[in-house]
Structures are given as structure tokens and as C-alpha cells.
Amino acid sequence: MTSFPFGRLAPFCRRVLLAAALSLPVGHAWAALPYTVEIAAPDDLGELLTGSLELVASQNDPDMDEMQLDALLREAPGQAQALLETEGYFGAKIRLDEESREPRRYRLVVEPGEPVLIDDVTLRLTGPVSSAPDFHPRLARALELWPLPTAARFRQAEWDSGKRVLLRQLQVDGYPLARIATSRADVDPVTHRATLTVEVDSGAPVAFGPINVSGLKRYPEDVVVGMARFRPGTPYTLQGLLDYQAALEQSPYFSSVVVSTDMSRIADGRVPVDVAVEELPRQKLTLGLTFEAGEGFGTRVGYDHYNLFKRGYIGSILLEHKPSEQAIKFGLSFPRQADGYSHSLNAAFKHTDIQGVETDSVEGGLWRIRTSGNIESRIGLEYLLEQETVADTLSQDNQALLASYGWTRRQLDDVRRPRSGTLIDLQVSSTLGDTLSSAAFVRGYGKLVHYWSPQKKWGTLVSRIELGEVFTNNADRVPTSRLFRTGGATSVRGYEYLGLGLPGPDDSVLGGRVLAVGSLEYQIPVSRDWSLALFHDAGNAADSWQDFSLQHSNGVGLRWMSPVAPLALDIAKAQNDGKIRWYLSLGLAF
């Protein structure tokens, strides 16, 4: 009889069993360890602990095991204490109770006690700023911005943000090398009082240095340098850099602009300004097809040259031809200068035949324009000579020499596809008495467009109002283009283009001295680039407000955000004649 050597087999069996155990899926070897945590604390502190405690955040962790849970339970009171101290509770009592073993339930009980209040605050601005002429206003501003006054509850977030605000106040305005020299919060948990001390060292004042431009191939460097509203030696401000960047981006010369400074390159108290640009083409040819309901198609041909005389002057020619209007327009614009202003000249020769009123006109103007952020203001001198023919009967020639002012603010979330924000456009012009004018008059006009979207998926409500009035004692001698008519795709839909105004001979429509237009439109998104529009328009032009009566229309439309510009197709029914008219327009009616 032969015996089996079990002793030799034992190590082998152990190895087989160990290999089998290691080969089992981890999910079967360790079951998930579910548990719940209840926070018993005042509401604001409960929200803080619920959102920040690791023990709470890990409740649904599928990989939780006994060892990890034990570690989280031990650390929870300490983490809670640290979180409460950021809210000013340095003497809180915290207890973690096990409510149940199966299922596992825990309860964190917090008695916050008295909060620590600010007993004294010392803010100091030191360094060269202390001898600057504007030191006292700067210090007053620092005290005004400080978020933790005496008797306030100490909060870590406000303590940190207050220091950042003090530092940034200097860094963005003349002292970019400023630093926190002293930062101390002395907290006494027994008396529940805190003393705060912050000292900011301004460092040496810094001014703008030379402007270094890279990337230019076509345009002269003066175009770039001239748009800066600072010169070498001007005190450094971050806003100055931002305004410079915005001016270059808004110019028609560049597709990309980066304006930067490197404080490590300061020399003699001046920091150089680096500008990297990518240029747009020097010339542009534009061909366009237009359409007006009731009159058909038209064409537009435009040519722009962005570097006339190799000085960055912009010259433009535009030819427009459609059944109701033919025009040739010329423009000459000059680059923006350091004072923030640019200048332009324009001239136009037009022939129009609209609603029985035929005009031949010559116009010219000189404009001084300033753009700052989303606001554009312009002041100019215009001259207009106009020959008017009504119902094939030659009438008199009218002329006007006008001093004009305009102000526009575009505060929109997206200029091409606005969903929220406001557009305001105001214009006022006046003749210079009877000088080169057939009648003395003052003309005012204003437009307000508001976009509101409660939520992106719910669509956008667009509301628009226009008001205008011409003040004169002789409306017959005011040029037709300076009176008011309305109707058409961008005003009161459902009516012919400029078909609302004063009734004239042979069914012609003459301009009135007053104008009012209102519109409500709700755009409902149906896909990423398409929306359905429902709208109601109302408006009219009249000789006076006593004679004024609103004309209404209702309609539906489609909006397509094309790669070029928004495209609108509208169908509207007019109230006064019951006719249905449709309109196709490209772009936003700004």
C-alpha cells in the first residue's frame, strides 16, 4: 500500500486557491457599502457642510469599503470644524453619532456657538503711492471697498476677496508691481473677536513705454500706434490696455489682435506694449442681391480700399440699383486717433421714386466719431440738396445745412444673434437758421429695441419702439428725406415700403412731421438655426400728433441664422386694407 504525499501538495493548493481568489471580479469580492448622513445644523451652515464634507459627498461611492468609511468618519469632525471656521465659528461643538448599524446611518450634530466679530481693521497703503497726489482718494476708495467692517462676522471668503480687491485697485491703475506686504487675522476664540491687518506695498509707479508692433505687411505702423489713447510716459492702467485692444479689434484692418505687457521688461519705470496683429485684405469687392416686396429684386456693388495713399485711409464706393431707388455713394474714413476719435467724409447721389414721390438729391457730410466699448457717438455737418416731384408735377427744390448728433449703444449678448440686451439709437439734427436751408427745422428721432429670453429653449421676445418729430413752421420746404414715412420689412410689416404717411395727390404718400412705430415679436426656436416668429406691428406717420392714428398688422415669419447673416421671411396682414404681403430681408434691423 502506497501513501499519497499530502504534505507536498499543501503549498500547491495554497497557490491555486490564492490564484483563484485573485481572479475573482472585484465587484464580487467587495460589496458596496451604502450609508446615509444627516446634518443637524442651522440652514446656512447645513448647506455649507452638505456641499463640502467628504463624508457626505462619498455616500454614493460604489467603491466604498470599511477601511475608507472608517477614515472618513474619523476625519469628518475636523473637516467640519475647518469649514465652520471659514464662516467665523471658531468655538463650534461637533458630534458625530451612529444612528443605525444596519442600514448605516450617521448624524452630524453642530452647535456653532457665537460667531467671531471684527473688532478692529487696519488697512495701510505704503510705498511710493503714499506720497502720490491721489493717495487720499485711493485710501478712501480702499476703505469703501473693504468687505469686512467692524462688527461684521468674520468670513474667510470675504477676507480673501478683500485683500484681492485692495491689491487689484493698485495693480490696474499705475502700480502693477503692488504686493501684499502684511496680511494677518488675529482671532480670539474666547472673546469671539478678530483684529485684521492688511498692508499693501504699491511698489514703484509704472508708465507705458514704447509700442512694439508685429505682423504688419500691408498697413503703416501709424494705423496701429495711432489708436492707442496713451503715449510713452502715460501712467499705466489696465483699462488703457483693454480700450486699446478693443479699438484695434473694432477697426476694419485686422482679423486678430493681441495687446500685452511683460512686467519683467520694465526699464526706467516704463513697460513696453507689445501688439501682434493679423491683417485683413487691403481691398474688398462686395456683390449683393436685394429684394423688396412689391417691387422686386435689386443689386448692390461695393468696393472698399483700406490703405489709400498707403496711410490707412479707407475709401469706398457703393452702387445700388432697384426699381424704386438708384444711388452712388462715396466715403472716405480716417483711422482712429489717440483722442479716441475718427473722422469721415461721405457723399451720395440718389434718385428715388417711392409711393408717387420722385426725388433727385445730392448729399454730403463730415463726421467726427468716437467709439468706446459698446457706445458710439458722432457729430457732423451735413448738406442736402433735393428736387421733389409729386404725381408728375414738378415742385420746388429744397435744401438744408444741418448740424447733427447721434448716439448709439449696443448692449447685446451677441450682435449677430441677440437673445438678451438692448439697442438704443438717438439722433438729433438742426439747420443753422436759414443758412443754406429752404426752411429752419429741428429733427429728433429715437429707437429702442429690447431682447429678452427667459430661457434659451423658450425663445426670445423682441420689443421695438420708434419715435420721431420734425419741429418747423414750414414743413413743405423740409427735404422729403428728413420727414417721416414708414411701412415695410423693417418697420410696420403688412404695408408697402414707406406706404404710411400723409395722403398726397394721385394716391401718393408724403412725409409727415411725426412718427411712432411699435412692434412685439416672439421668436420660437425649432432647431439650432431656425426659429418661428409671431409678431404684431403698429405705427404711422402724420402731420401732427392730433392727426395721428395707429395702423396695425399681424403676421408670422421664419428666421434662419445663415452663415452670412440672419435671414427673415415674413408674411403679414394689414389692418386697413386686409391685404397680405410678404417680405424677405437679410441682416438685423439695427
Side-chain angles (χ1 to χ4, degrees):
M1 182 175 166
T2 305
S3 61
F4 195 85
F6 288 102
R8 299 179 189 176
L9 187 59
F12 173 77
C13 291
R14 287 196 297 269
R15 288 195 294 272
V16 171
L17 292 173
L18 179 60
L22 293 175
S23 67
L24 288 174
V26 173
H28 293 285
W30 299 101
L33 190 62
Y35 67 92
T36 58
V37 180
E38 177 190 355
I39 304 293
D43 290 343
D44 56 337
L45 301 180
E47 292 177 4
L48 171 67
L49 296 173
T50 300
S52 304
L53 268 184
E54 191 175 356
L55 177 65
V56 177
S58 302
Q59 288 179 98
N60 299 316
D61 186 352
D63 297 324
M64 181 61 63
D65 58 30
E66 291 279 2
M67 184 178 298
Q68 294 181 58
L69 181 57
D70 287 342
L72 292 178
L73 292 171
R74 288 194 303 271
E75 294 168 0
Q79 288 183 4
Q81 181 64 54
L83 289 169
L84 293 172
E85 288 178 359
T86 65
E87 290 297 304
Y89 296 96
F90 286 81
K93 295 180 181 179
I94 301 169
R95 187 179 75 252
L96 181 61
D97 297 332
E98 185 180 56
E99 296 284 292
S100 171
R101 187 68 178 176
E102 290 296 338
R104 293 175 183 264
R105 293 201 310 269
Y106 301 95
R107 189 167 188 263
L108 188 73
V109 181
V110 176
E111 297 179 14
E114 292 185 38
V116 169
L117 303 180
I118 308 302
D119 192 48
D120 187 46
V121 178
T122 301
L123 304 179
R124 291 194 292 266
L125 302 181
T126 61
V129 71
S130 60
S131 57
D134 61 348
F135 170 71
H136 292 293
R138 284 181 182 269
L139 182 58
R141 181 61 174 161
L143 294 171
E144 179 185 349
L145 294 174
W146 182 249
L148 286 174
T150 56
R153 191 174 87 190
F154 176 86
R155 287 186 172 91
Q156 185 67 40
E158 294 178 352
W159 168 238
D160 293 337
S161 67
K163 291 183 288 184
R164 288 193 299 269
V165 167
L166 292 182
L167 189 60
R168 182 173 175 78
Q169 182 193 4
L170 290 174
Q171 289 180 336
V172 303
D173 188 9
Y175 298 88
L177 303 179
R179 63 182 182 86
I180 299 289
T182 302
S183 170
R184 190 172 67 249
D186 296 322
V187 176
D188 188 342
V190 176
T191 62
H192 305 290
R193 292 292 183 268
T195 301
L196 308 181
T197 303
V198 181
E199 178 184 327
V200 181
D201 183 352
S202 68
V206 174
F208 286 114
I211 298 175
N212 305 315
V213 184
S214 62
L216 286 177
K217 297 177 183 178
R218 302 181 181 92
Y219 304 113
E221 188 171 292
D222 289 347
V223 169
V224 179
V225 176
M227 292 191 196
R229 300 184 67 179
F230 54 81
R231 288 291 178 262
T234 303
Y236 168 90
T237 64
L238 179 60
Q239 190 61 49
L241 281 183
L242 296 177
D243 290 344
Y244 188 25
Q245 172 95 27
L248 291 169
E249 289 176 341
Q250 292 167 4
S251 74
Y253 304 104
F254 310 112
S255 61
S256 173
V257 179
V258 177
V259 179
S260 61
T261 56
D262 183 356
M263 294 304 165
S264 66
R265 293 164 52 200
I266 293 176
D268 298 325
R270 298 186 178 187
V271 60
V273 179
D274 299 320
V275 182
V277 299
E278 292 183 12
E279 297 177 325
L280 287 170
R282 185 172 54 188
Q283 302 177 65
K284 181 175 72 175
L285 179 66
T286 304
L287 303 175
L289 187 67
T290 63
F291 179 83
E292 289 287 348
E295 69 170 29
F297 289 93
T299 57
R300 293 166 57 96
V301 179
Y303 172 75
D304 298 289
H305 195 295
Y306 294 99
N307 198 20
L308 284 179
F309 314 119
K310 296 183 179 181
R311 302 192 65 178
Y313 299 165
I314 301 174
S316 62
I317 300 176
L318 177 64
L319 299 174
E320 293 182 308
H321 186 280
K322 51 187 178 181
S324 65
E325 180 178 343
Q326 300 83 47
I328 179 169
K329 302 176 182 179
F330 302 93
L332 179 63
S333 300
F334 304 92
R336 201 195 86 166
Q337 300 302 306
D339 59 4
Y341 288 92
S342 60
H343 298 83
S344 67
L345 297 167
N346 64 275
F349 302 87
K350 296 181 183 179
H351 173 79
T352 64
D353 188 356
I354 303 172
Q355 300 297 334
V357 180
E358 186 175 354
T359 61
D360 291 286
S361 63
V362 179
E363 299 180 35
L366 169 64
W367 293 91
R368 179 174 169 86
I369 305 164
R370 186 177 189 272
T371 301
S372 178
N374 55 19
I375 295 177
E376 177 187 281
S377 58
R378 52 204 177 276
I379 186 170
L381 188 65
E382 301 177 273
Y383 177 72
L384 169 63
L385 177 62
E386 186 177 274
Q387 183 183 74
E388 178 186 285
T389 303
V390 179
D392 297 326
T393 301
L394 182 66
S395 64
Q396 61 220 347
D397 295 345
N398 292 326
Q399 64 176 342
L401 178 65
L402 298 165
S404 302
Y405 176 78
W407 185 91
T408 304
R409 186 183 74 173
R410 294 180 177 88
Q411 194 167 1
L412 303 168
D413 61 336
D414 187 330
V415 175
R416 289 188 67 246
R417 187 186 294 192
R419 292 190 178 94
S420 66
T422 304
L423 165 75
I424 302 174
D425 183 35
L426 303 175
Q427 302 172 19
V428 61
S429 56
S430 174
T431 59
L432 307 179
D434 294 329
T435 305
L436 295 178
S437 300
S438 51
F441 67 91
V442 176
R443 183 182 191 269
Y445 170 81
K447 177 167 66 174
L448 170 67
V449 184
H450 182 68
Y451 297 84
W452 178 67
S453 300
Q455 285 191 18
K456 184 177 179 180
K457 63 180 180 180
W458 290 351
T460 303
L461 179 65
V462 184
S463 53
R464 170 172 53 93
I465 186 169
E466 298 177 63
L467 292 172
E469 184 166 1
V470 174
F471 302 89
T472 181
N473 293 323
N474 191 1
D476 292 338
R477 300 306 306 274
V478 175
T480 295
S481 61
R482 294 307 186 264
L483 296 172
F484 295 108
R485 291 184 289 178
T486 189
T490 60
S491 55
V492 185
R493 289 161 286 190
Y495 297 85
E496 294 181 354
Y497 176 59
L498 299 186
L500 294 175
L502 304 184
D506 294 341
D507 296 325
S508 61
V509 179
L510 308 179
R513 293 190 300 116
V514 299
L515 168 79
V517 174
S519 174
L520 281 176
E521 176 174 303
Y522 188 48
Q523 299 175 355
I524 307 168
V526 295
S527 69
R528 181 179 180 275
D529 294 323
W530 289 88
S531 297
L532 173 68
L534 307 173
F535 59 84
H536 175 81
D537 294 344
N540 207 346
D543 187 54
S544 67
W545 294 116
Q546 289 77 16
D547 302 329
F548 184 88
S549 63
L550 283 174
Q551 299 295 324
H552 298 264
S553 67
N554 298 292
V556 297
L558 284 176
R559 304 288 178 264
W560 176 42
M561 181 54 62
S562 75
V564 179
L567 182 69
L569 172 64
D570 291 318
I571 300 174
K573 181 178 181 180
Q575 180 193 58
N576 67 347
D577 60 11
K579 290 185 177 181
I580 297 176
R581 296 178 175 89
W582 65 280
Y583 309 87
L584 184 67
S585 57
L586 186 67
L588 295 172
F590 281 175

